[in-house]
Amino acid sequence: MKKALIHETSDARELSMLLMAWALAVAGRFFSEVASTKRPFGSVAAHRVKRLGAIAVLASIAPSLVVWAVIEVLLATMGYAGSLSIYPDFQPWLCVMGFFLLVFVRILEYGAILQQQDDELL
């Protein structure tokens, strides 16, 4: 059981790293678009930051849920009927950052509306 638990924990960390690599790719696309267009406010930019926030929240929660589910299944197959109350690999700072980015998207969306109104005036 200990060997299976270590293997599942490493799988959860790999999932976290994969999600973070995806987040870095999305962030890279966001920054390259802003650098090329010189306009940080737009619907595409807001959509990318929203995706980045969702990935950050998912990356903070998903690995601990995977490990928790695997541990519960392993314990159930061994005949343990209790409940497990530990949440390994939960990263609250990543969850807070994700929620911050989701709130920041509202600023970008409002900036996109103002940018569109400014473009229509000229």
Side-chain angles (χ1 to χ4, degrees):
M1 175 173 151
K2 186 176 180 180
K3 190 174 185 179
L5 180 61
I6 291 171
H7 178 66
E8 297 306 326
T9 304
S10 67
D11 286 346
R13 286 197 178 110
E14 289 173 6
L15 173 65
S16 179
M17 295 304 253
L18 182 65
L19 288 170
M20 293 308 295
W22 183 26
L24 287 174
V26 170
R29 289 178 56 197
F30 167 76
F31 287 120
S32 67
E33 179 183 327
V34 169
S36 66
T37 62
K38 305 288 192 254
R39 294 178 146 209
F41 299 107
S43 61
V44 175
H47 179 71
R48 288 206 174 118
V49 172
K50 186 183 293 186
R51 185 182 300 163
L52 191 60
I55 292 169
V57 170
L58 183 65
S60 71
I61 295 171
S64 62
L65 288 178
V66 167
V67 170
W68 175 79
V70 168
I71 291 172
E72 285 289 327
V73 168
L74 287 174
L75 290 176
T77 58
M78 293 174 54
Y80 181 72
S83 179
L84 191 62
S85 63
I86 62 166
Y87 300 100
D89 292 336
F90 176 68
Q91 301 171 356
W93 67 270
L94 195 55
C95 190
V96 169
M97 184 184 77
F99 283 121
F100 173 76
L101 288 173
L102 292 174
V103 170
F104 184 69
V105 165
R106 304 301 290 172
I107 296 169
L108 290 177
E109 290 172 342
Y110 184 66
I113 292 169
L114 293 177
Q115 183 71 46
Q116 182 182 8
Q117 290 174 352
D118 186 52
D119 290 344
E120 290 172 357
L121 285 174
L122 299 175

